[in-house]
Amino acid sequence: MTSRDFLSIRDVSAGELTALLDLAADIKAHPTRFSSALEGKALALIFEKPSLRTRVSFDVGIHQLGGFSVPLQPSEIQLGKRESVHDVARNLERMVQGIMIRAFSHKLVEDLARAASIPVINGLTDFSHPCQALADVFTIREIKGRLEGLKLCFVGDGNNVAHSLMFAAARTGMHMTIACPHGYEPDPTAMKLAHDDRISTDIRIEVNHDPRDAVRNADVVYTDVWASMGQEAEAEKRRSDFKDFQVDSTLMERAASEAIFMHCLPAHRGEEVTDEVIDSPQSVVFQQAENRLHVQKALLVELMK
C-alpha cells in the first residue's frame, strides 16, 4: 500500500483494494500461515466510542498474527485534553508499531495520523467507517463471486457507513443507491469524492427518496441504525422520519431474487430491520461481522509488516 495509514477507503487505489481483499481471503483460508507475520509487534487500541466487533476483531487479529494489543480507554488518556493529540502520537510511536483509533471526530484521527510516524487505522469516526466497508465488499465478493456491476442499495441515514460504502463502490465498480428521507442524504463532500473516484463513469452512485424504487433489482440490501452514537437525542424524531424506510420482507421482495441482506450491527430489531429479514436465509450479517477479523488482519499485515 502506498499510504502508511488507513483513514478512508480512499487511501487505497482500486488495485490495492483488490490486493487487500485477496490477502484477506488467503488469511481466512490459511490462518496458521500468518501466525507469526507480526511476531512481537504491538498495536495500540484507542476507544472513544463503545465497541464490540471493532474491539474483538482487532484484539484477536493482532494476537493471531503473533503480536499483541494495548487497549486504551478515554479515561486513561483523555486524548486532546489531558495530553495533546500530537504528544500522544509522539509517545506511542516510540512504544508500539501501530495505532487503531475509534473516535467521534474525523479531524482528530487525521491529526493523530499526521503526528505519528507509525500507521494509524481508523476504526470509526462520524465521517467514515473504512474497516466496515472493507469487510462489506469482501463479504459481497465472497458470496457473489464479483463486485463490478452489482447493485448495492443502502436504506437509511446517509452516515459514515454510507460514505465508506460509496467510496468502496467507486473503487470496485458497484452501482450504489442511498435510499433515505429528505434531509438525511450523505454529506455532499462525500458524494462528490465518490463520484470523482469512480473507476468508470458508467458507475451510478445516487440518492433516491423512495425506498421501494431504490431497492428494485438490488443485489445487496444494506441498512444501519437510524440514530448512531452521539445522536441519541434525535432518536424519537428519526424514528418518525424513517418509519417508511424499514427493511422488511415486503421491501426485500422488490430486490433481486438472489439478493443478500447486510447490516453493520448493532441492529435495532423492529426499527430499521425486522426479525424476519435479519434472521432469514438472505441475511449474511454474521458472516459479514466475522469478516471484520480477516480483512483487518490483512490490513495489519500490510501496514505493520
Side-chain angles (χ1 to χ4, degrees):
M1 288 171 56
T2 53
S3 174
R4 63 182 178 86
D5 302 310
F6 187 67
L7 309 187
S8 168
I9 289 288
R10 300 185 69 248
D11 288 338
V12 295
S13 67
E16 288 171 334
L17 180 54
T18 298
L20 265 177
L21 299 180
D22 290 344
L23 177 58
D26 194 15
I27 289 172
K28 184 173 183 178
H30 310 99
T32 57
R33 187 182 296 169
F34 298 86
S35 59
S36 60
L38 297 179
E39 187 171 359
K41 295 193 175 183
L43 175 69
L45 304 176
I46 300 176
F47 293 96
E48 287 190 347
K49 288 188 171 187
S51 173
L52 170 64
R53 282 152 294 277
T54 300
R55 167 64 187 268
V56 175
S57 55
F58 272 109
D59 207 344
V60 171
I62 187 68
H63 280 81
Q64 289 182 348
L65 294 169
F68 60 97
S69 65
V70 183
L72 299 167
Q73 299 301 321
S75 59
E76 295 172 311
I77 57 174
Q78 298 177 32
L79 192 62
K81 298 175 184 176
R82 178 175 178 267
E83 197 164 3
S84 72
V85 173
H86 175 273
D87 287 357
V88 169
R90 296 302 301 275
N91 275 273
L92 287 177
E93 70 183 10
R94 292 168 180 262
M95 303 176 191
V96 301
Q97 287 70 54
I99 302 169
M100 189 292 302
I101 178 168
R102 182 177 171 90
F104 287 93
S105 167
H106 193 75
K107 182 180 182 303
L108 182 148
V109 175
E110 291 177 329
D111 290 346
L112 185 71
R114 269 193 295 271
S117 61
I118 57 176
V120 173
I121 298 170
N122 175 7
L124 175 142
T125 66
D126 287 349
F127 182 76
S128 179
H129 199 353
C131 292
Q132 181 65 56
L134 193 62
D136 296 339
V137 293
F138 178 82
T139 305
I140 295 168
R141 192 180 77 160
E142 189 174 50
I143 294 167
K144 296 292 187 181
R146 64 186 176 94
L147 292 168
E148 190 168 1
L150 294 179
K151 179 181 178 182
L152 165 64
C153 181
F154 182 92
V155 183
D157 188 20
N159 60 13
N160 52 357
V161 175
H163 293 167
S164 290
L165 284 170
M166 290 192 305
F167 300 152
R171 287 280 194 265
T172 59
M174 287 191 296
H175 306 295
M176 182 172 173
T177 301
I178 300 92
C180 63
H182 290 279
Y184 293 95
E185 296 84 2
D187 184 288
T189 300
M191 285 291 295
K192 183 180 185 307
L193 291 172
H195 275 274
D196 291 347
D197 286 349
R198 291 174 298 167
I199 58 174
S200 166
T201 55
D202 292 333
I203 298 168
R204 299 185 307 277
I205 299 175
E206 56 197 8
V207 171
N208 190 326
H209 297 110
D210 180 353
R212 289 171 55 80
D213 181 57
V215 302
R216 186 180 289 118
N217 298 321
D219 300 291
V220 182
V221 178
Y222 196 124
T223 194
D224 191 6
V225 295
W226 293 337
S228 299
M229 286 176 283
Q231 298 172 332
E232 289 79 7
E234 305 171 26
E236 186 174 346
K237 182 180 187 303
R238 283 172 172 263
R239 274 193 290 272
S240 174
D241 292 345
F242 282 90
K243 62 181 176 11
D244 296 327
F245 288 79
Q246 183 185 71
V247 180
D248 57 17
S249 58
T250 301
L251 193 67
M252 285 297 297
E253 286 172 1
R254 299 182 68 83
S257 59
E258 300 297 319
I260 59 173
F261 170 76
M262 303 183 79
H263 194 306
C264 54
L265 302 178
H268 293 170
R269 290 167 176 256
E271 290 190 9
E272 74 274 5
V273 62
T274 60
D275 286 344
E276 63 184 345
V277 170
I278 199 170
D279 294 327
S280 73
Q282 288 178 283
S283 175
V284 298
V285 298
F286 299 115
Q287 179 176 345
Q288 178 186 0
E290 178 199 334
N291 283 336
R292 288 287 301 277
L293 173 65
H294 308 303
V295 298
Q296 287 162 191
K297 285 170 71 174
L299 195 57
L300 293 173
V301 168
E302 277 297 308
L303 293 177
M304 292 176 61
K305 63 186 175 184

